[in-house]
């Protein structure tokens, strides 16, 4: 019997210590700690080498659900430090238990909370630990819609990016350049292994860092953006709705991409990120909507420059072709009003923006006998417009770009029936109204195309990537596009008219001292929910005429004439970029006056007032309920009944509350008495 028992014991010991590695794994896990090291994300620099997006450090409180087993966790103290209740704690715990990996329990802790967590961490280890994480820092606090922001990855994101190294609790770019260039900005995370003592304290690296994997920082991006020009644009667009897009015609690099209203990018980082995100999403002004690439508008009279190019190239007009305007265009029976009647050649027609002239130009183009039919004429016209970069996405390195709309025969066939339309059906398109829609980015790009006399490079934000473009993300931004074969003389004729706009025409009030600017104003009729609104103000230009260095488009929604708002804004942007400053005191005063001009559309102001009223009602109702509740609780306390204030304490075996709970109840009673009795609270205490 002794021999048999000895054999059984030896066999069991052999099984536990040699064959079965369960306990060795548990012992090993208890004695070491696997720490993820998050790399610094790539830094973004503007065209002059200024860092506009850097890194700083925050801490997340992480949880490893598997380590809760058999652990006596001081839940109450953790809830107090995080300012949450036990219901919220249990809710987060259930979410965390869905994965065996460590995940974020509380993200972006404030410095104060980090200090309090460190003081009491021994109560919650090893299930909880602090994870250092680099987050974004914004030296200029501008360009929110350009830069984007980071957010914790969702289950859908993890599924879509399976195999790319993401884990629950990781952060990734979800908007702007952070999203477009996530692959190169994220870097590669590392792993560190540490020894732990019997109190779960980290002591020293395991095996002298033999098993560690170093983190690799993300690649830095160099942008075409001029952050000072961006700041000026955002300042000028204060209390306005619209956009400014400025492009370097020679490179396609975007110099400024302003969407207004905008937001400070620093709002979406740090411990208050969720609160600020909610506020921004609910803001009636839609500050997170990037109007520069996502909003579409009828282009108004800025479209006339393109109509002129087509008419000249197709030979339906020459620079000396004359049309008479008696106050309206009558070619389709119903008059289409023109502001400045007169007799116009092409140059004067562009300078004074004559509707009658360009309605005749488009009518001649669509009905050109060489095309054989209006269907083929419209097809040829639409092909020109696509060549100018309209009616499709340009391919900028920003998310969610819209393509706009250039109508085609198929488009009108669906509306009116096949062949049941002609030029008079869409005559308003000739002056940039009706069915045509463009983005501010497309208008700026068409100015770059006209400035270059027939070519453009796809607009882009990023010029180069440190360490090389291993994924080919910048390949499409190195090619010149020559979509159409239009002679230089045609462009020169249009340039003459656009220069006239700035010297004596509709844009004369927006001259730039010492710089020859070619521009075109636009005033765009628009409707909101079927109700006619104040006109949108458009302006598009390039400068200088010889050797152009900037092409720009400005849109101010519901601001009236382009000459009174958009054109002066563009004028100051051009001067700042070309001269690196605003020169005279008069120009600086003009800058301040424009920045302080409130052109916020009435419909948005009404929505803001409505939202504020609803919030005020909800706040008043909440305060009323709180007062009623406090009064009830006070009455209960005064009658000697148990205090209704719920305190989560560790119950004693005799059924009495612990000392801490009793103290809280006494303080609560004193506060209630103070609320009811004012200065006599001390007697109750």
């Amino acid at each position: 019997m002794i021999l048999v028992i000895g054999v059984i014991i030896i066999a069991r010991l052999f099984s536990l210590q040699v064959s079965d590695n369960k306990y060795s794994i548990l012992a090993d896990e208890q004695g070491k700690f696997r720490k993820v090291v998050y790399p610094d994300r790539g830094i973004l620099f503007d065209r002059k080498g200024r860092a506009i997006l850097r890194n700083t450090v925050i801490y997340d409180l992480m949880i490893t659900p598997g380590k809760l087993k058999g652990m006596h966790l001081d839940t109450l103290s953790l809830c107090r430090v995080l300012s949450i209740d036990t219901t919220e704690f249990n809710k987060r715990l259930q979410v965390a238990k869905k994965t065996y990996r460590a995940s974020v329990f509380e993200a972006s802790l404030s410095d104060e909370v980090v200090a309090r967590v460190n003081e009491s961490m021994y109560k919650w280890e090893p299930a909880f630990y602090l994870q250092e994480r680099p987050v974004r820092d914004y030296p200029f606090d501008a360009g929110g819609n350009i830069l984007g922001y980071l957010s914790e990855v969702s289950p859908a994101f993890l599924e879509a990016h399976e195999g790319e190294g993401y884990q629950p609790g990781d952060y990734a770019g979800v908007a702007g350049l952070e999203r477009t260039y996530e692959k190169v900005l994220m870097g590669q995370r590392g792993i560190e292994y540490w020894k732990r003592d019997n109190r779960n304290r980290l002591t020293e690296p395991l095996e002298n860092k033999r098993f560690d994997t170093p983190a690799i920082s993300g690649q830095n991006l160099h942008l075409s953006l001029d952050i000072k020009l961006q700041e000026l644009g955002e300042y000028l667009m204060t209390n306005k709705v619209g956009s400014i897009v400025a492009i370097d015609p020679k490179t396609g690099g975007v110099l400024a991409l302003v969407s207004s209203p905008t937001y400070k990018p620093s709002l979406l980082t740090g411990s208050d990120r969720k609160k600020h995100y909610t506020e921004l999403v609910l803001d009636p002004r839609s500050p997170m909507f990037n109007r520069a690439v996502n909003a579409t508008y009828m282009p108004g009279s800025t479209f006339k420059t393109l109509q002129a190019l087509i008419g000249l190239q197709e030979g339906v007009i020459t620079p000396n072709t004359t049309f008479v305007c008696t106050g309206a265009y009558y070619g389709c029976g119903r008059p289409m009003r023109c502001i400045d009647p007169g007799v116009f050649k092409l140059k004067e027609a562009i300078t004074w923006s004559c509707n009658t002239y360009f309605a005749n130009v488009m009518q001649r183009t669509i009905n050109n006998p060489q095309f054989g039919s209006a269907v083929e004429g419209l097809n040829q016209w639409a092909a020109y417009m696509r060549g100018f970069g309209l009616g499709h996405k340009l391919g900028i390195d920003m998310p969610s770009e819209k393509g706009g709309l250039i109508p085609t025969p198929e488009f009108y066939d669906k509306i009116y029936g096949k062949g049941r339309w002609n030029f008079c059906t869409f005559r308003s398109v000739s002056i940039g109204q009706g069915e045509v829609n463009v983005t501010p980015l497309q208008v700026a790009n068409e100015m770059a195309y006209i400035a270059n006399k027939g070519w453009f490079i796809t607009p882009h934000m990023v010029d180069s990537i440190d360490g090389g473009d291993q994924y080919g993300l910048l390949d499409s931004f190195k090619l010149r596009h020559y979509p159409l074969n239009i002679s230089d003389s045609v462009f020169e004729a249009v340039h003459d008219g656009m220069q006239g706009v700035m010297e004596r025409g509709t844009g004369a009030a927006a001259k730039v001292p010492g710089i020859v600017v070619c521009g075109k104003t636009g005033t765009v009729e628009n409707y909101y929910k079927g109700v006619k609104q104040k006109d949108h103000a458009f302006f598009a230009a390039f400068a200088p005429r010889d050797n152009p260095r900037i092409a720009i488009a400005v849109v101010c929604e519901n601001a009236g004439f382009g000459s009174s708002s958009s054109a002066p804004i563009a004028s100051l942007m051009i001067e700042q970029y070309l001269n690196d400053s605003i020169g005279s005191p008069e120009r600086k005063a003009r800058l301040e006056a424009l920045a302080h001009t409130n052109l916020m559309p009435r419909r948005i102001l009404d929505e803001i007032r409505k939202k504020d009223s609803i919030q005020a009602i909800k706040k008043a109702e909440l305060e009323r309920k709180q007062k009623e509740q406090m009064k009830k609780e006070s009455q209960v306390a005064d009658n000697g009944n148990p205090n209704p204030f719920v305190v989560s304490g560790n119950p004693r075996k005799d059924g009495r509350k612990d000392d801490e709970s009793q103290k809280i109840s006494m303080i609560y009673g004193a506060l209630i008495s103070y609320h009811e009795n004012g200065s006599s609270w001390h007697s109750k205490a």
Side-chain angles (χ1 to χ4, degrees):
M1 287 179 63
I2 292 173
L3 184 61
V4 170
I5 292 172
V7 170
I8 292 173
I9 291 174
I10 291 171
R12 182 56 178 160
L13 288 173
F14 181 85
S15 172
L16 291 175
Q17 296 185 31
V18 180
S19 301
D20 190 349
N21 63 353
K22 173 183 176 182
Y23 293 99
S24 64
I25 292 174
L26 289 175
D28 189 44
E29 284 295 315
Q30 186 66 23
K32 72 179 183 182
F33 176 74
R34 179 181 181 273
K35 180 181 179 181
V36 177
V37 181
Y38 287 92
D40 286 340
R41 286 179 72 85
I43 299 172
L44 272 62
F45 299 93
D46 85 336
R47 68 187 298 107
K48 294 186 177 180
R50 294 171 290 214
I52 60 175
L53 183 53
R54 305 178 304 195
N55 296 299
T56 187
V57 174
I58 55 114
Y59 289 88
D60 293 340
L61 183 63
M62 308 293 290
I63 180 173
T64 308
K67 296 187 181 296
L68 285 168
K69 191 173 182 180
M71 176 183 172
H72 179 69
L73 180 66
D74 189 346
T75 304
L76 181 61
S77 64
L78 182 56
C79 287
R80 281 203 299 267
V81 168
L82 299 180
S83 299
I84 61 175
D85 55 27
T86 53
T87 302
E88 175 65 18
F89 177 89
N90 290 326
K91 179 181 176 182
R92 296 184 188 184
L93 188 60
Q94 292 306 313
V95 172
K97 285 182 176 179
K98 292 180 181 179
T99 175
Y100 67 92
R101 295 177 180 271
S103 60
V104 178
F105 190 80
E106 176 83 3
S108 304
L109 304 180
S110 67
D111 292 342
E112 178 185 354
V113 173
V114 170
R116 293 169 63 192
V117 168
N118 272 323
E119 287 178 0
S120 305
M121 182 58 79
Y122 68 91
K123 299 179 181 179
W124 314 311
E125 290 177 330
F128 290 87
Y129 66 93
L130 285 174
Q131 174 70 62
E132 183 181 287
R133 188 187 300 276
V135 294
R136 293 314 218 174
D137 176 52
Y138 304 89
F140 292 92
D141 221 357
N145 292 105
I146 298 172
L147 302 175
Y149 58 93
L150 305 179
S151 184
E152 188 175 346
V153 296
S154 64
F157 182 96
L158 291 172
E159 184 177 350
H161 296 269
E162 187 177 0
E164 296 182 20
Y166 292 100
Q167 299 175 2
D170 284 354
Y171 286 72
V174 295
L177 295 177
E178 293 275 29
R179 173 178 168 182
T180 303
Y181 291 94
E182 166 68 17
K183 191 179 293 185
V184 298
L185 288 171
M186 65 176 289
Q188 297 180 27
R189 62 182 60 79
I191 302 294
E192 292 180 353
Y193 293 94
W194 289 78
K195 292 181 180 179
R196 286 196 294 206
D197 62 17
N198 59 350
R199 294 188 179 181
N200 291 309
R201 294 174 298 192
L202 301 184
T203 56
E204 59 180 320
L206 184 67
E207 295 286 340
N208 199 27
K209 299 187 176 183
R210 175 184 170 191
F211 303 107
D212 291 0
T213 303
I216 301 175
S217 297
Q219 294 172 266
N220 299 331
L221 305 182
H222 296 269
L223 278 57
S224 56
L225 186 77
D226 184 323
I227 192 62
K228 290 297 183 180
L229 189 67
Q230 178 75 21
E231 285 185 319
L232 175 62
E234 292 185 11
Y235 183 56
L236 287 168
M237 291 296 288
T238 302
N239 286 323
K240 302 168 187 68
V241 176
S243 175
I244 304 173
V245 180
I247 297 174
D248 182 342
K250 301 303 181 188
T251 67
V254 175
L255 307 173
L257 193 84
V258 176
S259 177
S260 181
T262 187
Y263 64 92
K264 294 181 181 294
S266 58
L267 292 176
L268 295 182
T269 189
S271 56
D272 291 328
R273 188 190 72 84
K274 290 183 179 179
K275 184 185 95 172
H276 292 150
Y277 179 82
T278 302
E279 292 171 350
L280 291 171
V281 168
L282 298 177
D283 191 328
R285 297 169 298 179
S286 303
M288 299 184 74
F289 178 60
N290 191 343
R291 291 172 170 84
V293 296
N294 298 150
T296 58
Y297 306 88
M298 292 178 284
S301 293
T302 61
F303 203 56
K304 294 172 181 175
T305 56
L306 304 182
Q307 299 283 30
L309 289 175
I310 297 173
L312 290 168
Q313 182 66 15
E314 287 299 321
V316 298
I317 61 168
T318 70
N320 293 318
T321 299
T322 300
F323 290 103
V324 178
C325 175
T326 59
Y329 168 73
Y330 294 96
C332 292
R334 305 183 319 277
M336 185 167 69
R337 189 170 63 90
C338 193
I339 296 176
D340 297 301
V343 180
F344 299 99
K345 294 181 180 179
L346 177 64
K347 180 178 178 179
E348 288 72 26
I350 295 174
T351 297
W352 298 105
S353 198
C354 177
N355 288 346
T356 297
Y357 194 98
F358 292 99
N360 277 292
V361 171
M362 186 173 183
Q363 185 175 32
R364 287 189 176 189
T365 301
I366 300 301
N367 296 334
N368 189 341
Q370 293 183 3
F371 297 146
S373 68
V375 171
E376 186 56 29
L378 183 58
N379 268 328
Q380 292 295 325
W381 176 88
Y384 272 106
M385 290 299 172
R386 286 192 293 271
F388 297 145
L390 307 183
H392 59 87
K393 296 178 182 179
L394 288 169
I396 189 174
D397 47 353
M398 294 287 291
S400 307
E401 180 194 359
K402 291 292 189 298
L405 173 64
I406 291 297
T408 61
E410 293 76 20
F411 177 84
Y412 288 120
D413 284 345
K414 289 180 181 179
I415 298 175
Y416 301 106
K418 190 168 184 178
R420 301 183 64 182
W421 51 268
N422 57 35
F423 167 73
C424 291
T425 309
F426 52 82
R427 62 177 187 161
S428 59
V429 170
S430 64
I431 58 172
Q433 297 279 169
E435 293 78 22
V436 62
N437 273 289
V438 298
T439 65
L441 174 70
Q442 289 173 329
V443 177
N445 185 68
E446 79 184 42
M447 288 296 110
Y449 172 83
I450 295 173
N452 291 332
K453 299 179 182 178
W455 61 270
F456 68 89
I457 296 175
T458 301
H460 55 276
M461 302 299 308
V462 176
D463 281 338
S464 63
I465 303 173
D466 279 355
D469 181 19
Q470 58 180 313
Y471 301 108
L473 299 176
L474 308 182
D475 289 349
S476 62
F477 307 139
K478 299 174 183 177
L479 304 174
R480 287 189 180 188
H481 300 282
Y482 293 87
L484 303 163
N485 186 23
I486 299 177
S487 66
D488 284 2
S489 61
V490 169
F491 286 104
E492 287 291 348
V494 174
H495 288 189
D496 288 342
M498 295 177 69
Q499 183 176 338
V501 169
M502 304 304 295
E503 291 181 347
R504 61 186 181 280
T506 55
K511 290 180 181 178
V512 181
I515 299 173
V516 178
V517 179
C518 294
K520 186 69 190 79
T521 56
T523 304
V524 184
E525 293 184 359
N526 65 97
Y527 293 79
Y528 178 72
K529 295 183 178 179
V531 179
K532 192 176 187 311
Q533 306 292 306
K534 190 175 180 180
D535 294 337
H536 293 330
F538 259 74
F539 183 77
F542 64 87
R545 176 172 176 170
D546 297 325
N547 190 28
R549 293 171 51 203
I550 181 172
I552 190 167
V554 180
V555 183
C556 289
E557 294 186 18
N558 308 123
F561 291 106
S563 58
S564 60
S565 55
S566 296
I569 289 173
S571 171
L572 290 163
M573 293 285 286
I574 290 170
E575 181 178 356
Q576 171 64 38
Y577 180 69
L578 295 182
N579 296 340
D580 206 28
S581 66
I582 303 298
S584 67
E586 292 79 13
R587 296 285 287 174
K588 291 178 180 177
R590 181 63 169 146
L591 187 158
E592 293 299 325
L594 279 170
H596 290 88
T597 300
N598 191 334
L599 297 175
M600 190 66 64
R602 180 179 295 276
R603 59 182 174 80
I604 292 182
L605 292 175
D606 290 342
E607 291 174 7
I608 292 173
R609 282 192 287 268
K610 181 179 178 181
K611 177 175 177 286
D612 290 343
S613 297
I614 293 173
Q615 288 180 334
I617 293 171
K618 288 182 177 180
K619 183 178 179 181
E621 179 65 15
L622 179 61
E623 290 176 349
R624 184 187 66 78
K625 290 182 178 180
Q626 288 175 338
K627 288 181 180 179
E628 289 181 356
Q629 183 65 22
M630 292 179 72
K631 187 174 182 180
K632 290 178 182 178
E633 292 168 352
S634 176
Q635 290 173 350
V636 171
D638 288 341
N639 292 333
N641 293 327
N643 195 313
F645 182 57
V646 179
V647 178
S648 299
N650 298 320
R652 292 163 40 132
K653 292 182 179 180
D654 58 8
R656 295 169 57 191
K657 291 182 180 178
D658 60 17
D659 292 341
E660 186 176 39
S661 300
Q662 291 178 23
K663 290 175 183 176
I664 293 175
S665 297
M666 289 174 63
I667 294 170
Y668 180 80
L671 291 172
I672 291 296
S673 180
Y674 173 71
H675 175 74
E676 297 294 328
N677 304 317
S679 60
S680 63
W681 70 275
H682 56 276
S683 59
K684 180 68 178 178

